[in-house]
Amino acid sequence: MKWTSLNDIREMYLSFFESKGHLRHKSFPLVPINDKSILLINAGMTPLKKYFTGELEPPRHRMTTCQKCIRTPDIERVGITARHGTFFEMLGNFSFGDYFKREAITWAWEFITQKLELPADRLWVTIYLDDDEAYDIWANEIGVDPSHIVRLGKEDNFWEHGSGPCGPCSEIHFDRGEEFGCGSPDCKPGCDCDRFMEFWNLVFTQFDNDGNGNYSRLAKPNIDTGMGLERLACLMQGVNNLFEVDTVRNIMNAISEVAGVKYGADPKTDISLRVITDHIRSTAFLISDGVVPSNEGRGYVLRRLLRRAARHGRLLGIKELFLSDIVDIVAHENLTEYPELTEKLAYIKKVVRTEEERFAATIDAGLSILGNMINDSLRAGRASLSGEDIFKLYDTFGFPIDLTREIAEEAKLTLDEDRFKALMSEQRERARSARANISGWSDESKGLLGELPKTEFLGYDTDTCEAVVRAIIVDGEAVDEITEGEFSLIFDRTVFYGESGGQVGDTGTVTDADTVISVADTKKTDGVFVHVCSTAIGDIKVGDKVTLAIDKTRRAAIRRNHSSAHLLQAALRAVLGSHVEQAGSYVDADIVRFDFSHFAALTDHELAAVEALVNAHILLGEPVTTTVTTPDEAKKMGAMALFSEKYGSKVRMVKMGEFSTELCGGTHIDNTAKIGLFKIISESSVAAGVRRIEGTTGLGVLRLLGERDALISDAARALKVANTAEIAKRSAALTAELHDAKHEIDVLNSKIASSKKDELLAGASVCGSIKLIAKQTEGMTLDIVRTLTDELKDADSSLVAILSVSCDGKHNYVCACGRDAVAHGAHAGNILKAVSAVSGGKGGGRPDSATSGAGDAAKIPAALAAASDIVSAMLK
Ligand code: ATP
Ligand code: MG
């Protein structure tokens, strides 16, 4: 076997299977398309699932791919074993009801022993316990030594995922030699050490499991194989582990250079080097596929990987930000197969840098505090870190809980995760309401908020209520009463929605017998609703009983817009795919703004489909119901949200017919028909991979129509048509008229040019063996002068014509040389190079015709005067 680069191995594999009739397909993105069952693609077959189940017809019944994969479950093994990365590429050949076991095994063997020339005596295969068919092919048809065939149980060698298609597997292992082994006398394929490295898994999907453990044979069995490209490269290159493979090693080298640490010098620092190498690869690919760091779902995976890499950077003693620079190498090393990394390089680096910066600000302090917490716990004989401690690390220092868990586990401590989750949900409630503008308040006033009980919110069901004034804040100070000016009011209960979850706060009035106060905005902080009041008639005191009433019309518009956001999200997922996730939203009385993850601008067709789907569900008049339930129950009922620890013990679930189910604290209409109509106003990009749709509903649509009507009327007036239906016709007629007029001008211009031609020819001077015209023109466009010089050279083949043109504030030269003049050595391009240089311009062109910029207009006469000498010098 010969040392072969990773890129060459990939190509050898794909072309080998192409030669066996497979269709080659490039890697699918890491974010699954139209597949809610997984967060990230983790095997070559995953994006092809629907071809296996028969739900979709494949483009061909044999396919081959090299698929980008992410496996976070392997994260803790990365850097420690020789063979695990969170990111790797998986080579695979697939048969959708076409060929089966015999071909799969025969071709696998042919590829590894004949193409790659792996020595057969170091190859081992495993098969499923009772898969005698596979045994027979390996032992009797291929000729593998029976002592190298190992039968393994269901856990290792049977591929199954709930009910549905499943089947036995056969893995191919390479014996890397005793020095890589664990030394156990039982060490053989299947052992978790690195001696027998599994590098290829052949899955024979031949059964259907009815869900009760009854297996029936499939009429058309499938083949799905997966071979880790880096693992194979590791064998072919005779290196110790995945990270020493050519392209990956280059990344690791760059890291060890930044760290000033030599790879191979210390097992501990080697682990950190490998971890960073792996994580920076996964993160670069995740970001290029549209994932952005966040605290949930894929975003959390990305954040965890980046912060873990940053922490290992610290372990290596790297003090400065370094990860984003390493992305350059990752992009460079993957340029041939994954040019998208280079195309999006600046963006990827920016995301990495921002995340690294955020974490860097606190990582050192966090690590040392965590160290102290661990020491305290150990000293006190506690077996776990408290929920408060973990929460502090998360909240103040940005430590993902998994990172804390890992570091704690190194000291054999567990975490009180239940308490942590409870603190998280309390904090979320706080964060959601932290937008209330209390920054200018005195400490006492802020403290007052903490002491007040949470405001009871009645605004889901009613627009008005009685309430008691609990506090009045003026200029940040708490007072007992107020007669006028601007101030904030806090009540025991309210119908005013406090700005949160993207929905603006309510406006309205506070009244009692002789007082009218208007509420300009409502904020929410720590569950306490702060009513921002602007004017007052009468006075108000703490303890007063008052009537609160929201602006119903405005709130109704907000409700319509908010509910339309839910329908919009469901429609986007239906039209574009389940990768669509909410990335932000804003709802007020005029518009609904919805940001979501998607990679490309929506086509007109997609926009129309989304709009139509939303309106279809409005017109169906589906009931909108809200239920307060547990997160588990909500999940069962199919609520849209990623179920991390984000939610408290109770969640509010908003359901619109069967179309949309979301967790949401906002206010909604009770039937979709009340939205009236939904209209998209615009679609745009917010950041790479994040799109924004703005739309409006109900009266907003009417307003939009009114604006458009006005626009159409204005256009009709400007075009002087009585009937708006004639706008298009009239515009087309005017455009045609304009076109004709332009043409007429051109004709006239060329007539002028022709008339000038004779005059110019008459004035030509003799210059050695040729004739020369070098003149300024006036009142002509560049196009006309070009035509003119062409006509001049056609009229006299020994002529060199150089004309200057000044038009629209621009100054140019045009030069044309007749055939004989060119034969005598004249070269229009070179002439203009020299002539325009005299007046500070630039240009060049062909021997027979050229155009150049003239530079300084004042120097044009001098430049034209020099033409004669320039041309003479050029002649043979
Ligand atoms: P292992 O037991 O070594 O973790 P696996 O059984 O999880 O491997 P499969 O799910 O069969 O592996 O995946 C198919 C192939 O993908 C493997 O044979 C291997 O070459 C490769 N592979 C799997 N996991 C990883 C990983 N974390 N890093 C690199 N390559 C991997
Ligand atoms: Mg595995």
Side-chain angles (χ1 to χ4, degrees):
M1 82 196 187
K2 203 167 92 230
W3 188 98
T4 313
S5 73
L6 179 124
N7 284 327
D8 286 347
I9 298 174
R10 187 194 300 108
E11 181 53 37
M12 282 167 81
Y13 180 90
L14 294 171
S15 53
F16 175 79
F17 280 98
E18 272 182 324
S19 79
K20 305 288 184 195
H22 291 63
L23 174 70
R24 180 198 294 223
H25 197 292
K26 71 178 182 25
S27 175
F28 293 85
L30 284 166
V31 176
I33 302 168
N34 290 331
D35 182 358
K36 289 184 197 166
S37 66
I38 46 158
L39 215 51
L40 293 163
I41 297 297
N42 60 2
M45 69 81 69
T46 326
L48 308 171
K49 254 190 328 206
K50 289 188 178 157
Y51 297 151
F52 283 110
T53 58
E55 203 175 315
L56 288 179
E57 178 60 21
R60 201 185 291 173
H61 286 261
R62 297 177 182 190
M63 280 177 75
T64 182
T65 61
C66 178
Q67 175 64 45
K68 304 181 262 192
C69 294
I70 293 272
R71 285 197 183 179
T72 34
D74 285 338
I75 191 167
E76 314 232 322
R77 309 170 86 178
V78 172
I80 294 170
T81 72
R83 66 186 196 282
H84 290 100
T86 57
F87 174 85
F88 63 97
E89 297 178 56
M90 195 187 283
L91 299 165
N93 53 288
F94 309 96
S95 154
F96 311 110
D98 189 67
Y99 62 84
F100 195 50
K101 215 175 279 190
R102 171 162 296 110
E103 293 88 338
I105 291 179
T106 312
W107 290 337
W109 193 255
E110 180 185 338
F111 180 69
I112 55 180
T113 58
Q114 290 176 29
K115 292 280 169 198
L116 300 181
E117 297 173 8
L118 289 177
D121 59 342
R122 294 177 69 180
L123 291 169
W124 289 62
V125 296
T126 65
I127 55 167
Y128 179 56
L129 282 179
D130 62 4
D131 190 0
D132 293 333
E133 188 186 351
Y135 182 89
D136 190 54
I137 300 172
W138 281 121
N140 302 327
E141 295 184 25
I142 305 284
V144 173
D145 179 348
S147 70
H148 279 206
I149 304 178
V150 181
R151 289 183 191 252
L152 292 177
K154 217 166 181 175
E155 195 173 311
D156 289 299
N157 273 8
F158 196 89
W159 187 89
E160 189 166 31
H161 213 81
S163 58
C166 55
C169 325
S170 183
E171 298 166 347
I172 309 178
H173 295 244
F174 187 83
D175 181 0
R176 306 168 73 207
E178 265 170 41
E179 64 274 25
F180 289 96
C182 54
S184 152
D186 302 332
C187 184
K188 65 172 191 308
C191 177
D192 205 41
C193 75
D194 281 326
R195 172 170 175 184
F196 295 96
M197 172 129 76
E198 175 203 328
F199 63 98
W200 203 348
N201 191 359
L202 316 178
V203 184
F204 314 124
T205 322
Q206 63 193 48
F207 297 119
D208 184 58
N209 177 354
D210 68 359
N212 297 318
N214 303 317
Y215 296 90
S216 53
R217 244 188 131 89
L218 287 173
K220 284 194 163 183
N222 301 315
I223 288 293
D224 147 31
T225 87
M227 170 152 62
L229 175 59
E230 293 84 348
R231 282 200 195 171
L232 181 59
C234 171
L235 302 177
M236 293 299 292
Q237 298 178 8
V239 291
N240 287 323
N241 56 59
L242 304 189
F243 307 93
E244 295 178 16
V245 161
D246 55 348
T247 54
V248 191
R249 176 75 195 234
N250 290 337
I251 301 169
M252 188 157 67
N253 285 348
I255 299 165
S256 59
E257 202 167 296
V258 177
V261 168
K262 223 172 127 316
Y263 180 69
D266 170 0
K268 229 174 151 175
T269 53
D270 284 356
I271 291 177
S272 290
L273 286 171
R274 292 194 286 256
V275 167
I276 300 169
T277 306
D278 171 73
H279 291 7
I280 194 68
R281 293 177 84 213
S282 0
T283 52
F285 277 99
L286 281 170
I287 298 167
S288 87
D289 279 342
V291 182
V292 284
S294 76
N295 281 336
E296 53 190 28
R298 299 176 190 109
Y300 178 75
V301 170
L302 174 60
R303 169 159 289 166
R304 181 180 173 200
L305 286 163
L306 273 174
R307 296 196 168 187
R308 202 170 184 262
R311 182 214 166 203
H312 278 276
R314 281 303 202 277
L315 288 179
L316 290 178
I318 305 177
K319 285 272 175 255
E320 64 276 20
L321 304 179
F322 72 106
L323 289 170
S324 70
D325 288 340
I326 305 297
V327 176
D328 285 320
I329 325 281
V330 179
H332 177 75
E333 293 301 327
N334 287 286
L335 186 58
T336 35
E337 192 64 14
Y338 305 105
E340 63 264 30
L341 290 178
T342 301
E343 282 154 21
K344 297 183 192 162
L345 186 59
Y347 168 71
I348 301 173
K349 289 180 69 170
K350 192 161 163 241
V351 174
V352 171
R353 192 163 186 91
T354 311
E355 183 66 11
E356 201 186 4
E357 261 166 8
R358 277 201 192 153
F359 194 41
T362 55
I363 182 172
D364 288 329
L367 283 172
S368 94
I369 290 199
L370 175 56
N372 291 340
M373 290 171 177
I374 290 175
N375 287 338
D376 290 349
S377 295
L378 290 175
R379 225 174 289 129
R382 285 192 296 267
S384 69
L385 283 186
S386 72
E388 276 74 9
D389 280 353
I390 322 165
F391 180 73
K392 182 170 175 191
L393 286 165
Y394 173 86
D395 194 40
T396 317
F397 301 104
F399 276 49
I401 180 166
D402 295 288
L403 183 57
T404 307
R405 188 188 301 116
E406 236 175 77
I407 300 173
E409 273 172 4
E410 287 166 14
K412 307 261 178 298
L413 286 177
T414 57
L415 307 185
D416 181 354
E417 297 197 20
D418 290 341
R419 178 71 189 130
F420 170 75
K421 280 183 193 156
L423 290 167
M424 281 294 286
S425 63
E426 281 173 29
Q427 190 249 12
R428 279 207 183 86
E429 183 55 34
R430 273 201 302 281
R432 220 172 289 146
S433 49
R435 261 175 273 151
N437 186 20
I438 58 161
S439 51
W441 291 15
S442 70
D443 287 347
E444 286 95 292
S445 298
K446 282 185 204 163
L448 182 69
L449 286 183
E451 284 165 26
L452 288 171
K454 287 188 184 7
T455 314
E456 186 187 354
F457 180 62
L458 308 170
Y460 289 131
D461 307 312
T462 171
D463 297 334
T464 173
C465 74
E466 305 290 313
V468 176
V469 180
R470 290 271 188 228
I472 305 173
I473 316 266
V474 185
D475 289 337
E477 301 294 337
V479 297
D480 289 335
E481 62 181 300
I482 178 98
T483 46
E484 58 176 6
E486 292 185 355
F487 50 92
S488 297
L489 293 177
I490 296 160
F491 308 99
D492 58 340
R493 56 215 296 249
T494 187
V495 283
F496 286 81
Y497 184 82
E499 177 187 329
S500 54
Q503 179 178 329
V504 291
D506 276 327
T507 61
T509 56
V510 175
T511 51
D512 71 8
D514 45 17
T515 304
V516 181
I517 293 167
S518 92
V519 178
D521 196 5
T522 311
K523 311 274 190 183
K524 198 167 107 182
T525 178
D526 269 344
V528 176
F529 287 60
V530 179
H531 303 74
V532 182
C533 300
S534 53
T535 54
I537 301 169
D539 56 9
I540 192 161
K541 293 190 292 299
V542 172
D544 277 359
K545 244 194 156 138
V546 288
T547 304
L548 309 187
I550 56 164
D551 178 340
K552 283 197 273 188
T553 314
R554 178 173 177 273
R555 165 73 92 69
I558 296 171
R559 280 200 187 103
R560 288 191 288 265
N561 282 336
H562 199 155
S563 295
S564 78
H566 287 211
L567 293 180
L568 177 59
Q569 169 154 350
L572 285 166
R573 290 172 70 92
V575 173
L576 304 177
S578 57
H579 60 281
V580 168
E581 266 174 35
Q582 176 168 349
S585 72
Y586 172 81
V587 176
D588 65 17
D590 298 321
I591 59 150
V592 45
R593 182 186 298 149
F594 187 76
D595 296 347
F596 57 99
S597 48
H598 185 60
F599 315 109
L602 271 68
T603 61
D604 289 346
H605 180 73
E606 286 167 337
L607 281 173
V610 168
E611 196 176 76
L613 193 53
V614 171
N615 283 303
H617 283 275
I618 291 172
L619 297 179
L620 280 172
E622 289 169 322
V624 178
T625 52
T626 49
T627 329
V628 176
T629 178
T630 61
D632 274 352
E633 202 49 39
K635 190 178 175 183
K636 260 186 235 146
M637 289 153 116
M640 266 273 326
L642 281 164
F643 283 83
S644 54
E645 71 277 61
K646 188 180 164 190
Y647 300 97
S649 55
K650 288 282 178 224
V651 293
R652 187 165 178 272
M653 198 172 76
V654 179
K655 204 163 181 286
M656 304 189 180
E658 292 305 314
F659 188 54
S660 153
T661 309
E662 281 188 48
L663 298 187
C664 176
T667 59
H668 292 272
I669 35 89
D670 56 11
N671 186 296
T672 57
K674 291 195 184 167
I675 296 175
L677 204 60
F678 169 74
K679 179 87 195 120
I680 292 178
I681 302 172
S682 66
E683 192 271 350
S684 58
S685 157
V686 189
V690 182
R691 309 293 308 174
R692 166 172 295 176
I693 283 185
E694 280 193 359
T696 189
T697 61
L699 294 173
V701 178
L702 208 59
R703 206 166 36 241
L704 200 67
L705 286 178
E707 283 165 15
R708 297 213 171 148
D709 278 346
L711 193 72
I712 293 171
S713 303
D714 288 351
R717 222 166 294 126
L719 290 168
K720 297 198 168 58
V721 290
N723 187 337
T724 52
E726 285 165 31
I727 290 179
K729 217 165 98 193
R730 178 87 181 117
S731 306
L734 280 177
T735 313
E737 245 173 62
L738 201 63
H739 182 265
D740 291 349
K742 267 203 178 135
H743 180 69
E744 221 165 284
I745 294 171
D746 285 348
V747 171
L748 287 173
N749 276 339
S750 70
K751 277 193 186 144
I752 299 171
S754 293
S755 70
K756 283 262 186 264
K757 189 175 80 183
D758 294 338
E759 191 186 319
L760 284 166
L761 279 174
S765 58
V766 175
C767 177
S769 48
I770 58 126
K771 282 189 215 136
L772 176 69
I773 298 170
K775 282 239 164 3
Q776 278 182 278
T777 63
E778 259 170 46
M780 284 196 249
T781 64
L782 188 58
D783 280 344
I784 300 175
V785 175
R786 280 204 183 109
T787 318
L788 178 57
T789 51
D790 278 345
E791 285 183 13
L792 286 169
K793 86 171 179 335
D794 292 343
D796 185 341
S797 66
S798 64
L799 185 70
V800 170
I802 308 165
L803 298 179
S804 73
V805 201
S806 293
C807 180
D808 293 338
K810 285 193 194 119
H811 309 287
N812 293 92
Y813 297 112
V814 181
C815 174
C817 301
R819 206 175 341 104
D820 292 343
V822 173
H824 280 104
H827 186 293
N830 293 344
I831 293 170
L832 284 198
K833 225 182 250 169
V835 170
S836 47
V838 178
S839 54
K842 263 197 194 122
R846 301 199 319 249
D848 63 337
S849 107
T851 308
S852 71
D856 182 356
K859 292 189 181 148
I860 292 176
L864 290 172
S868 162
D869 285 346
I870 290 168
V871 176
S872 305
M874 209 176 264
L875 299 176
K876 293 175 197 161

